[in-house]
Amino acid sequence: MHAIDTTTGTDEIERVPAADGELVLRRAGEHYEIISNGCFLMDTRAGESERLLVRTAFAALDELPSLRILVGGLGVGFTLREALTEPRVEHVCVVEREAHVVRWGRGPLARFSANALDDPRVSVVTSDLVAWIRSPDTTQRFHALCLDIDNGPDWTVTDGNASLYDDAGLDALRARLLPGGVLTVWSATASPAFADRLRGRFARVTVHQVPVPRGEPDVVFVART
Ligand SMILES: C[S@@+](CC[C@H](N)C(=O)[O-])C[C@H]1O[C@@H](n2cnc3c(N)ncnc32)[C@H](O)[C@@H]1O
């Protein structure tokens, strides 16, 4: 039986162990929310800035006829779904740490991604992205890395994720880009220090703000090699 929280009006669907804690999938009416260690991670309601994460990358790659993309992590699949709408995309590698999120993406969340995980252009690596990008095998490289694993560089969901955004993390990400490639990073906060760090390593950096109903705008950083 699912536990209904009378304060939030949500229905807890699953509570599972996860990296450094636990993950909860809960339903609120027609929608779902993913909570990581008590911290809101993603829901199925909006997704505009998550879609912009790939649209800005495609715009920066407008002269290339075919594209290999990395999406990290999966969440509810809005970013992945958007990536697959681009006809030039020939392969999307999804790196997602939590096997339960991938399972939910094939189950209750499948309709929100239009069954994106079943698309033959998609492969899933169930792995910690922070470790994966540092693996010595850098033969797998991409035209775009579209990253949304945290609430932003200044607000990570687990402590270990912080090293994705430091100097060594950015160097490792750059090494995964094909020539002319682009890195996009999602954030719920402005993170000016991160923008400066990007400018120190990439030829051109732009920052896109997406207004949200309440609070600070969402932010998408776009860094071109
Ligand atoms: C905010 S959600 C992504 C939302 C996604 N852009 C969408 O459109 O639904 C963050 C995702 O990153 C995953 N994640 C967090 N840390 C990770 C890591 N170190 N490696 C890979 N995936 C990670 C989470 O499990 C979660 O599925």
Side-chain angles (χ1 to χ4, degrees):
M1 186 189 288
H2 300 152
I4 295 176
D5 183 329
T6 49
T7 334
T8 60
T10 57
D11 184 3
E12 185 173 303
I13 307 298
E14 270 194 70
R15 181 177 292 264
V16 293
D20 295 336
E22 65 176 12
L23 275 179
V24 173
L25 177 67
R26 64 187 194 192
R27 189 171 56 209
E30 291 300 300
H31 286 284
Y32 288 85
E33 302 170 346
I34 300 175
I35 313 296
S36 168
N37 294 324
C39 176
F40 176 85
L41 193 57
M42 186 63 195
D43 71 14
T44 55
R45 290 185 185 86
E48 189 184 341
S49 55
E50 288 79 4
R51 287 188 278 273
L52 193 68
L53 196 61
V54 287
R55 294 254 65 93
T56 49
F58 295 149
L61 298 165
D62 59 349
E63 288 175 3
L64 295 182
S66 67
L67 300 173
R68 292 173 50 79
I69 307 297
L70 182 142
V71 168
L74 176 62
V76 302
F78 284 153
T79 303
L80 175 61
R81 177 180 184 163
E82 186 69 12
L84 295 170
T85 64
E86 169 60 51
R88 292 178 295 154
V89 165
E90 64 175 32
H91 179 231
V92 185
C93 175
V94 178
V95 181
E96 166 58 50
R97 178 169 65 185
E98 307 295 346
H100 292 292
V101 170
V102 177
R103 179 171 56 79
W104 295 338
R106 293 198 163 100
L109 302 182
R111 67 189 163 95
F112 298 99
S113 73
N115 297 301
L117 290 172
D118 293 337
D119 191 294
R121 293 171 291 171
V122 175
S123 64
V124 179
V125 177
T126 308
S127 183
D128 183 334
L129 179 72
V130 179
W132 190 83
I133 54 141
R134 288 177 162 85
S135 71
D137 175 13
T138 53
T139 50
Q140 271 195 284
R141 296 198 295 155
F142 302 88
H143 297 108
L145 308 174
C146 303
L147 307 187
D148 176 14
I149 65 167
D150 292 300
N151 289 322
D154 296 339
W155 184 5
T156 60
V157 291
T158 49
D159 291 345
N161 280 1
S163 66
L164 186 72
Y165 310 100
D166 65 18
D167 291 346
L170 291 183
D171 287 344
L173 289 168
R174 229 195 121 112
R176 292 288 183 162
L177 282 172
L178 289 161
V182 58
L183 166 70
T184 62
V185 179
W186 191 95
S187 179
T189 62
S191 304
F194 178 67
D196 285 346
R197 206 169 306 128
L198 284 174
R199 288 189 190 100
R201 287 181 156 65
F202 289 84
R204 189 167 160 212
V205 175
T206 50
V207 181
H208 300 253
Q209 295 197 337
V210 181
V212 295
R214 279 186 300 277
E216 275 192 67
D218 291 344
V219 175
V220 173
F221 299 97
V222 181
R224 304 179 199 201
T225 50

